[in-house]
Amino acid sequence: MKNNILSFDIDQLTQYFKDIGEASYRVNQVMDWIYKKMVWEFYKMTNLPIKLREKLEEDFYIYIPKVLNKIEEYNTIKVLFQLEDKEIIEAVLISHKNRRTLCVSTQVGCSFRCNFCATGLMGFKRNLSSGEILAQILWAKNFLFERGENLNNVVYMGMGEPLANYEEVIKSIKILNSPIGIGIGAKHISLSTVGLVPQIYKLSKEKIPITLAISLHAPDNELRNVLVPINKKYPLEELLPACWYYSEKMGRRISFEYVLLEEINDTIEMAEKLVNLLKNKPAHVNLIPWNKVSEFPWKRPSILRIKKFEKFLKDKGINVTLRISYGEKIKAGCGQLRGEFIGRKKI
Ligand code: SF4
């Protein structure tokens, strides 16, 4: 049976070449073709002996998912991919000045059911393999290459909870970060989690100091239990110490994602609570005005309310960035494009 070579990490490839009696430098050669030159047919890997190309052809394939739909608006392109088993995932490519950032999915659907998120409504289908995660990145790298541009950042913030698919996600990050893989520096890789505390401690041992982003969305347990139900298992008094531990070990500040919902979490009372949680901590807050998902009763706040909330945090010394997305057409926000395309039925 053939394997998808994108799901093989450096150790597995080294072992493979050893098993077939080839030198270990073949790993670098093959990875260079796949991840740097973006050549995805073994017969085109011209610095390999023909016999070896045939052997690779026999044992492996490279699967780049089919693009079902691509919607471009402002500085954002949403891509809907079909996987080998016909499951559908999405990735988002964002251009800002000379930076190109790809947001990748890590699962088909998601089991965490955050109460503002389109992906959560679909339920969970399966984890993506590291090869399926890397294939999204390769597609984007190639797409940008054809436009004369480079991919600079990758964020694990698309469909799914990355830390619930820990092994495959880490495997993909290692190839993404490796100089013989895609070669994107740890500072340019971010991973967003709802706050799976044991996995955050595990991640702090990985020695790749990526940016950790926490889907916070509420500054107290009472509201967070509603918006992000996993908070009942890992409440703020457990989550925040895990974040500060990660920050200390990795020397990175923590990003806190905060989706703004009118009259729910955008009041000055909530802003005060947020300041109390994060004041004098290595923290950065990303404020994200909510994009409507019809199944939820929430409203996107007015720009006046958004600015007031942002100013309050800034005045109290919190590092904050307002991330306005123009997502009406592209349905920005995790899972929203896929939901529109296939119908937001449970999977
Ligand atoms: S916000 Fe993330 S973790 Fe929560 S339901 Fe959506 S995809 Fe899952």
Side-chain angles (χ1 to χ4, degrees):
M1 199 185 81
K2 286 190 183 195
N3 288 304
N4 183 0
I5 200 165
L6 301 182
S7 285
F8 269 49
D9 62 19
I10 298 170
D11 290 345
Q12 286 172 306
L13 278 178
T14 307
Q15 188 60 49
Y16 168 80
F17 284 113
K18 196 175 164 197
D19 290 348
I20 63 166
E22 286 285 343
S24 58
Y25 68 84
R26 296 294 186 205
V27 176
N28 298 43
Q29 286 181 317
V30 169
M31 288 184 67
D32 186 61
W33 282 111
I34 297 173
Y35 295 110
K36 296 262 174 23
K37 298 193 175 92
M38 287 168 290
V39 168
W40 301 326
E41 284 145 305
F42 297 111
Y43 77 89
K44 290 184 180 165
M45 300 181 178
T46 46
N47 61 354
L48 303 180
I50 288 182
K51 280 246 167 303
L52 179 56
R53 286 184 244 168
E54 284 169 0
K55 176 71 180 149
L56 289 170
E57 197 73 57
E58 228 174 270
D59 293 340
F60 294 112
Y61 64 96
I62 298 172
Y63 188 78
I64 305 295
K66 183 175 157 195
V67 175
L68 284 185
N69 198 11
K70 189 150 54 72
I71 303 177
E72 196 159 354
E73 190 179 21
Y74 298 98
N75 57 352
T76 307
I77 302 172
K78 271 219 173 199
V79 188
L80 208 62
F81 291 116
Q82 188 177 57
L83 303 172
E84 274 176 286
D85 60 357
K86 307 271 186 271
E87 292 296 346
I88 296 170
I89 55 163
E90 66 187 39
V92 184
L93 189 57
I94 305 142
S95 300
H96 182 66
K97 295 182 181 161
N98 53 2
R99 272 195 339 193
R100 302 291 173 267
T101 301
L102 182 74
C103 174
V104 292
S105 291
T106 54
Q107 298 182 311
V108 181
C110 181
S111 62
F112 286 87
R113 298 184 186 279
C114 299
N115 266 313
F116 54 86
C117 169
T119 302
L121 290 168
M122 296 167 192
F124 174 71
K125 184 71 186 228
R126 70 170 176 85
N127 282 328
L128 297 190
S129 66
S130 60
E132 288 170 324
I133 298 168
L134 286 166
Q136 297 168 62
I137 301 169
L138 284 178
W139 178 87
K141 205 171 137 67
N142 196 48
F143 175 80
L144 289 170
F145 176 76
E146 284 170 1
R147 291 182 164 197
E149 297 172 2
N150 281 321
L151 181 66
N152 317 103
N153 300 285
V154 175
V155 296
Y156 286 70
M157 293 187 184
M159 291 173 69
E161 162 54 51
L163 294 185
N165 182 15
Y166 191 91
E167 300 307 328
E168 295 301 310
V169 164
I170 291 301
K171 214 169 151 184
S172 71
I173 289 175
K174 284 180 179 167
I175 290 199
L176 177 59
N177 179 242
S178 169
I180 64 165
I182 295 174
I184 291 189
K187 282 192 176 159
H188 300 279
I189 303 171
S190 300
L191 179 148
S192 173
T193 173
V194 270
L196 305 187
V197 169
Q199 286 90 330
I200 292 173
Y201 284 112
K202 202 170 166 191
L203 192 65
S204 62
K205 296 195 183 95
E206 292 289 349
K207 299 188 178 70
I208 304 180
I210 59 172
T211 301
L212 180 66
I214 303 294
S215 292
L216 188 67
H217 312 309
D220 63 30
N221 284 325
E222 196 187 342
L223 180 59
R224 198 162 190 267
N225 286 344
V226 176
L227 296 178
V228 186
I230 194 67
N231 191 70
K232 290 178 202 148
K233 189 167 179 190
Y234 302 118
L236 292 172
E237 51 278 19
E238 286 183 34
L239 173 59
L240 291 172
C243 293
W244 311 141
Y245 181 84
Y246 182 89
S247 171
E248 201 191 317
K249 285 276 163 201
M250 297 298 196
R252 307 299 311 276
R253 69 181 181 181
I254 307 295
S255 284
F256 290 91
E257 311 297 310
Y258 197 95
V259 168
L260 286 164
L261 309 167
E262 188 177 282
E263 299 284 1
I264 303 296
N265 66 357
D266 73 337
T267 60
I268 291 304
E269 187 201 343
M270 289 291 165
E272 258 165 2
K273 288 186 180 182
L274 193 54
V275 170
N276 291 337
L277 279 188
L278 305 181
K279 182 103 181 135
N280 299 324
K281 296 288 187 191
H284 183 100
V285 176
N286 284 316
L287 295 177
I288 310 153
W290 188 58
N291 283 311
K292 181 85 185 151
V293 178
S294 55
E295 286 86 342
F296 296 111
W298 324 123
K299 272 197 200 150
R300 181 182 174 116
S302 67
I303 193 72
L304 220 67
R305 290 182 70 94
I306 294 168
K307 289 281 183 195
K308 199 170 153 197
F309 194 90
E310 182 196 18
K311 185 173 182 311
F312 187 92
L313 297 186
K314 275 190 174 158
D315 289 349
K316 300 285 179 187
I318 301 289
N319 296 305
V320 53
T321 305
L322 177 58
R323 301 205 183 273
I324 299 264
S325 87
Y326 302 93
E328 268 313 293
K329 187 170 132 202
I330 59 154
K331 300 287 170 194
C334 72
Q336 291 191 43
L337 176 70
R338 181 187 185 279
E340 291 297 310
F341 194 77
I342 63 166
R344 203 168 289 130
K345 60 178 192 284
K346 289 204 182 0
I347 51 179

